[in-house]
């Protein structure tokens, strides 16, 4: 019996290590390595040996598992503390709950098998059943929940505290009820009630995870609505300004013959000074009508003019090279969402640098797609969690059957957006780089 117990304990620790690490990496969307598994298994075995000498081995062993899994998640996988604790609590609680349910079944059906050879294979089957139940619970959680850094993690506290309560209740049941097999009918009835309570605990966990997902989704929908409302208001402003510039330019072109007639009159009378003054006024008016960049889309021109002026006023070097094909299936509102969010993020990242800040924007056609890249300098370090602005850009890319990618190398950040422009497009216009107008 002693060798069988040692074998069973070793197999359980190995299987637990594999399941815990698999669940943790999948839940936080991080890559797992054999080194993580070997390290966690070794520390788990060491913790099990040490806690076997403690007065309450079960409680100390579970606490050790929580600490080890949390530290591995934080320092090896790079997750935040809140995410690490939430993922560790879920992993350990589901394991203990699965074994608790199987323990209840063992307590109901195995007492009369004590001392017989049939007990050993049944214990192996029960252990296998516990791990199978654990794997099924893990799969159910993974199908409905993700704790990746750009998702529901800001509200992880809504999940951590219920899981901590469930785990504490399960530990109390395991410590008080399953130290020995029942020997009386009264104890058997007690274990039947505990089986029912633990089944309710499993249902409560799944309901908690579902409610947590719905709450987080509600918060994200509210943030998305607020962001889209703000983007719509900004677009209206850009469209109104573009219309005003168009009307002003149209009026200027309409009156150009009159302006030329005035200049001709000054020159015919030999009044060159008056002609120069009048010409300077015309240059000033023309400069006010021009924009720093002509992309072929008036809304983007106005937006870029405002953002580039803000960047240059803060000492940020800018470089723009793009022109949209005409006609194009790209909606003004969608382009406003892309450029407003990309430029706001780029300027904010550049403002954190003391020197050498720069922003480079490029756009070029690639077959039936249009490829946009926004590159800017930034502080070194890992990528921050994806905010609502980038999620809106990603939604626009998906709308046009394209894609969005972000990349960070050292102090260089790059946002790439691929958009399908073949829809409703009859021809591709000649592409030319956006060249700022020459100053006098």
């Amino acid at each position: 019996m002693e060798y069988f117990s040692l074998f069973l304990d070793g197999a359980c620790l190995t299987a637990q290590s594999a399941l815990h690490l698999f669940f943790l990496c999948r839940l936080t969307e991080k890559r797992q390595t054999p080194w993580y598994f070997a390290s966690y298994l070794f520390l788990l075995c060491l913790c099990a040996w040490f806690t076997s000498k403690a007065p309450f081995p079960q409680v100390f062993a579970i606490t050790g598992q929580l600490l080890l899994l949390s530290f591995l998640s934080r320092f090896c996988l790079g997750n935040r503390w809140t995410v690490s604790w939430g993922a560790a609590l879920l992993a350990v609680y589901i394991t203990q709950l699965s074994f608790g349910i199987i323990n209840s079944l063992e307590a109901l059906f195995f007492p009369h098998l004590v001392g017989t050879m049939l007990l050993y294979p049944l214990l192996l089957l029960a252990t296998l059943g516990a791990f199978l139940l654990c794997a099924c619970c893990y799969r159910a959680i993974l199908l409905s929940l993700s704790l990746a850094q750009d998702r529901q993690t800001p509200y992880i506290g809504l999940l951590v505290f219920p899981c901590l309560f469930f785990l504490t209740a399960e530990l109390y049941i395991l410590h008080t009820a399953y130290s020995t097999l029942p020997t009386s009918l009264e104890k058997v009835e007690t274990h039947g009630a505990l089986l029912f309570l633990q089944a309710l605990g499993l249902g409560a966990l799944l309901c908690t995870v579902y409610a947590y997902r719905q709450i987080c989704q509600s918060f994200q929908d509210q943030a998305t609505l607020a962001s889209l409302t703000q983007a719509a208001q900004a677009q209206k402003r850009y469209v109104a300004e573009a219309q005003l510039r168009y009307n002003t330019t149209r009026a200027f072109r309409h009156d150009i013959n009159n302006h030329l007639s005035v200049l001709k009159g000054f020159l015919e009378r030999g009044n060159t000074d008056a002609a120069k003054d009048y010409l300077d006024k015309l240059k000033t008016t023309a400069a006010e009508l021009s924009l720093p960049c002509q992309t072929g889309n008036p809304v983007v021109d106005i937006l870029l003019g405002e953002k580039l002026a803000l960047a240059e006023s803060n000492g940020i070097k800018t470089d723009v090279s793009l022109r949209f094909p005409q006609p194009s299936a790209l909606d003004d509102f969608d382009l406003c969402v892309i450029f407003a969010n990309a430029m706001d993020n780029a300027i904010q990242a550049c403002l954190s640098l003391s020197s050498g800040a720069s922003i480079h924007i490029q756009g070029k056609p690639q077959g039936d797609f249009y490829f946009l890249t926004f590159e800017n300098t930034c502080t070194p370090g890992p990528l921050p969690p994806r905010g609502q602005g980038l999620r809106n850009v990603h939604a626009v890319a998906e709308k046009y059957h394209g894609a969005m990618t972000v990349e960070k190398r050292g102090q260089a950040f790059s946002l790439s957006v691929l958009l399908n422009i073949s829809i409703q497009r009859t021809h591709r216009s000649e592409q030319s780089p956006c060249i700022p107008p020459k100053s006098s």
Side-chain angles (χ1 to χ4, degrees):
M1 184 66 180
E2 182 178 354
Y3 292 107
F4 178 79
S5 298
L6 289 175
F7 166 77
L8 195 59
D9 290 342
C12 287
L13 286 176
T14 304
Q16 279 187 24
S17 300
L19 282 175
H20 284 176
L21 190 59
F22 172 80
F23 176 72
L24 185 68
C25 292
R26 289 290 301 274
L27 187 63
T28 59
E29 298 185 5
K30 297 297 177 66
R31 187 173 63 89
Q32 56 183 332
T33 65
W35 182 84
Y36 293 159
F37 168 73
S39 301
Y40 180 58
L41 176 59
F42 172 75
L43 293 174
L44 206 59
C45 293
L46 192 63
C47 177
W49 175 83
F50 180 78
T51 54
S52 64
K53 311 297 182 180
F56 304 104
Q58 184 71 24
V59 175
F60 281 100
I62 302 307
T63 304
Q65 284 186 8
L66 274 175
L67 292 175
L68 290 175
L69 206 54
S70 299
F71 278 99
L72 184 145
S73 175
R74 177 66 183 91
F75 296 108
C76 294
L77 300 182
N79 296 315
R80 295 195 299 271
W81 274 118
T82 51
V83 174
S84 300
W85 278 109
L89 280 170
L90 279 172
V92 174
Y93 170 63
I94 291 175
T95 303
Q96 297 305 312
L97 180 63
S98 301
F99 275 91
I101 292 175
I102 297 300
N103 284 342
S104 295
L105 294 174
E106 290 177 353
L108 288 174
F109 300 106
F110 286 10
H112 62 281
L113 298 175
V114 175
T116 65
M117 293 302 297
L118 188 60
L119 179 64
Y120 297 102
L122 289 178
L123 286 175
L124 287 175
L125 287 176
T127 303
L128 182 62
F131 282 114
L132 182 61
L133 178 60
C134 180
C136 292
C137 292
Y138 281 164
R139 177 172 175 79
I141 296 296
L142 292 173
L143 288 176
S144 59
L145 182 65
S146 174
L147 297 183
Q149 289 188 355
D150 59 340
R151 299 192 181 175
Q152 300 137 335
T153 55
Y155 319 106
I156 190 65
L158 299 175
L159 187 63
V160 168
F161 289 102
C163 289
L164 185 59
F165 169 77
F166 292 149
L167 178 59
T168 304
E170 183 63 28
L171 289 180
Y172 178 78
I173 292 175
L174 292 176
H175 177 68
T176 58
Y178 297 118
S179 57
T180 60
L181 289 175
T183 57
S184 65
L185 181 60
E186 180 181 357
K187 289 260 182 137
V188 171
E189 292 176 350
T190 300
H191 284 289
L194 291 177
L195 173 62
F196 178 72
L197 287 176
Q198 290 177 105
L200 288 180
L202 176 59
L205 172 66
L206 297 178
C207 291
T208 300
V209 170
Y210 176 78
Y212 171 75
R213 185 184 67 176
Q214 295 300 111
I215 292 173
C216 292
Q217 187 62 47
S218 176
F219 287 154
Q220 291 177 359
D221 289 344
Q222 292 177 9
T224 302
L225 180 60
S227 178
L228 291 177
T229 301
Q230 184 179 5
Q233 293 174 349
Q235 188 209 23
K236 289 180 181 179
R237 186 176 77 251
Y238 296 135
V239 170
E241 186 174 347
Q243 185 65 37
L244 178 61
R245 283 179 176 269
Y246 173 77
N247 293 335
T248 306
T249 303
R250 184 178 180 182
F252 180 79
R253 289 177 177 174
H254 181 268
D255 295 335
I256 193 66
N257 289 330
N258 295 330
H259 295 309
L260 293 176
S261 298
V262 173
L263 284 173
K264 181 180 179 182
F266 283 139
L267 293 175
E268 287 177 348
R269 291 193 297 269
N271 194 348
T272 57
D273 291 337
K276 289 181 179 179
D277 292 340
Y278 197 83
L279 186 58
D280 289 339
K281 292 180 181 179
L282 289 179
K283 287 183 178 180
T284 302
T285 302
E288 291 175 351
L289 294 176
S290 64
L291 291 167
C293 187
Q294 287 80 41
T295 66
N297 185 290
V299 175
V300 175
D301 293 344
I302 298 296
L303 190 152
L304 277 179
E306 178 181 306
K307 301 299 183 182
L308 292 176
L310 176 62
E312 293 173 358
S313 67
N314 286 279
I316 303 172
K317 295 181 180 180
T318 58
D319 178 31
V320 181
S321 177
L322 68 94
R323 186 171 182 83
F324 292 105
Q326 299 297 332
S328 173
L330 302 177
D331 184 74
D332 290 345
F333 176 81
D334 296 327
L335 290 175
C336 179
V337 169
I338 294 174
F339 279 86
N341 287 293
M343 288 299 297
D344 286 343
N345 290 343
I347 293 174
Q348 184 178 3
C350 288
L351 290 177
S352 61
L353 298 174
S354 57
S355 62
S358 64
I359 298 175
H360 175 68
I361 306 172
Q362 184 178 14
K364 57 183 178 181
Q366 290 187 351
D368 289 334
F369 290 84
Y370 196 77
F371 187 63
L372 280 168
T373 57
F374 300 84
E375 298 176 352
N376 61 269
T377 52
C378 60
T379 56
L383 278 172
R386 184 174 296 182
Q388 187 60 48
L390 286 181
R391 285 195 287 267
N392 291 342
V393 175
H394 184 263
V396 172
E398 287 187 336
K399 174 182 176 181
Y400 288 91
H401 308 290
M404 184 201 80
T405 59
V406 294
E407 185 179 10
K408 189 174 186 296
R409 293 182 179 178
Q411 290 187 283
F413 176 84
S414 175
L415 167 65
S416 302
V417 184
L418 191 67
L419 304 170
N420 190 332
I421 56 174
S422 63
I423 306 173
Q424 298 177 356
R425 203 186 72 186
T426 57
H427 64 278
R428 183 180 293 117
S429 61
E430 183 71 17
Q431 305 298 316
S432 61
C434 169
I435 304 176
K438 297 182 179 179
S439 58
S440 58

